Amino acid sequence: MQETSSPRRLPGTVWFVGAGPGAPDLITVRGSRLLAQAGAILYTGSLVAETVLQWAAPTCEIADSKSLDHAQVTAWLLDRAQRHDTVVRLQTGDPTLYGVLAELARPLDAAGIPVGIVPGVSSAMAAAAAAGECLTLPEITQTVIFTRLSERTQMPERESFVSLAAHGCTLCIFLSIERIEAVVEQLGQAGWATDAPVVVVHKATWPDEERVLRGTLADIAAQCRAAQIDRQALILVSPALGARAQPALTPSKLYDAAFPRRFRPARPDTA
Ligand code: SAH
């Protein structure tokens, strides 16, 4: 595709691309192809690992949105869409989670600029993988809640952290590491025991920077302070944590030889 840099009659497409959690090879193939095609890329420098930009063409205009306000980001995207066939807004993890995709897409929609979304590996998935953990476990927990503590962004009333945590299922807690003490306190209020396991993953998959802390409600806050982890970390709380070391695990029906599946009849010797 021929990229152009002078104003054109038809605007290009603005793609919201998930950069993945940090490691440059954890962007999707589709996302990296769009980076290679893009005439202009605007990335969130405070969170996206710059090594992901290695997939961009040498001629591509690359800008960091860290110091831009909302109106400036919008103006940048509107302007570049008039000049290039492919413009990328590169966001950390998956672009549909805890970003401002809807806010940024609205003025583009209003201007008639086509918008596309490419999913990414969320830091929730990356944190579980880094820690070698599963987020669901047969008969133990089959539900995962992605949430955060309320802070500047108010939580809807029906989604108070304590009421969500009271389900006892897996919690992937974003944007809350600065307030780990409050997380621990509210987990306690929700009924989690002080010896319940907690995993904190800082900069999951970032080459040479990833750190995994394992603790309990009782000691994880002190561990985080001691390790000076106060940003870009995901908190995992789950009855599934440590499953690989648990002696008595209920096996999943999926691979149970006695349990018939659509593509695999039950083995007669197990009936
Ligand atoms: N859209 C992103 C989340 C953006 S909100 C996603 O899908 O992952 C930013 C928060 O995400 C951070 O405060 C932190 O809680 C989490 N986060 C982002 N990247 C991370 C990483 N590499 N490791 C651990 N947590 C990360």
Side-chain angles (χ1 to χ4, degrees):
M1 205 188 305
Q2 185 65 45
E3 278 297 335
T4 53
S5 60
S6 51
R8 305 142 16 97
R9 264 185 344 155
L10 272 184
T13 300
V14 175
W15 292 92
F16 289 81
V17 174
D25 57 350
L26 279 176
I27 190 171
T28 63
V29 173
R30 184 178 298 183
S32 69
R33 284 191 182 138
L34 283 167
L35 288 189
Q37 263 174 36
I41 298 172
L42 186 63
Y43 72 105
T44 41
S46 50
L47 284 167
V48 168
E50 289 191 1
T51 50
V52 180
L53 295 166
Q54 66 183 259
W55 306 117
T59 52
C60 179
E61 178 192 2
I62 299 178
D64 183 351
S65 62
K66 196 165 46 197
S67 53
L68 304 183
D69 63 26
H70 178 74
Q72 290 169 321
V73 170
T74 299
W76 197 99
L77 293 173
L78 286 168
D79 175 73
R80 295 326 185 264
Q82 300 303 330
R83 298 168 187 274
H84 301 284
D85 293 325
T86 307
V87 176
V88 169
R89 165 67 177 163
L90 189 63
Q91 305 204 170
T92 179
D94 181 88
T96 68
L97 283 172
Y98 302 110
V100 289
L101 195 161
E103 252 175 80
L104 291 180
R106 282 161 63 113
L108 299 170
D109 292 340
I113 292 169
V115 167
I117 302 175
V118 179
V121 176
S122 172
S123 53
M125 274 63 233
E133 298 286 353
C134 293
L135 298 180
T136 64
L137 199 60
E139 294 184 22
I140 303 292
T141 181
Q142 294 288 287
T143 303
V144 182
I145 295 178
F146 287 4
T147 191
R148 59 172 302 171
L149 276 197
S150 109
E151 208 188 346
R152 273 181 304 179
T153 307
Q154 279 298 311
M155 295 289 279
E157 210 173 300
R158 63 183 180 283
E159 294 183 18
S160 83
F161 183 82
V162 173
S163 70
L164 295 176
H167 287 284
C169 61
T170 297
L171 300 170
C172 297
I173 309 167
F174 291 76
L175 293 158
S176 304
I177 193 68
E178 306 90 327
R179 298 186 56 217
I180 183 74
E181 285 84 3
V183 171
V184 165
E185 188 191 322
Q186 294 187 31
L187 286 167
Q189 286 168 22
W192 289 79
T194 48
D195 63 351
V198 182
V199 168
V200 168
V201 184
H202 173 71
K203 290 199 163 183
T205 83
W206 283 54
D208 306 324
E209 293 188 66
E210 174 184 286
R211 280 184 290 168
V212 179
L213 300 185
R214 290 170 206 278
T216 61
L217 240 56
D219 68 7
I220 196 70
Q223 281 199 47
C224 289
R225 295 293 168 215
Q228 295 184 322
I229 292 178
D230 57 7
R231 58 185 298 271
Q232 239 169 318
L234 208 288
I235 307 166
L236 297 175
V237 186
S238 172
L241 294 179
R244 285 163 62 186
Q246 279 170 22
L249 255 193
T250 313
S252 163
K253 296 263 187 295
L254 186 60
Y255 296 107
D256 184 346
F259 190 75
R261 307 268 321 160
R262 187 159 156 224
F263 298 108
R264 191 199 64 213
R267 268 200 355 235
D269 57 319
T270 59

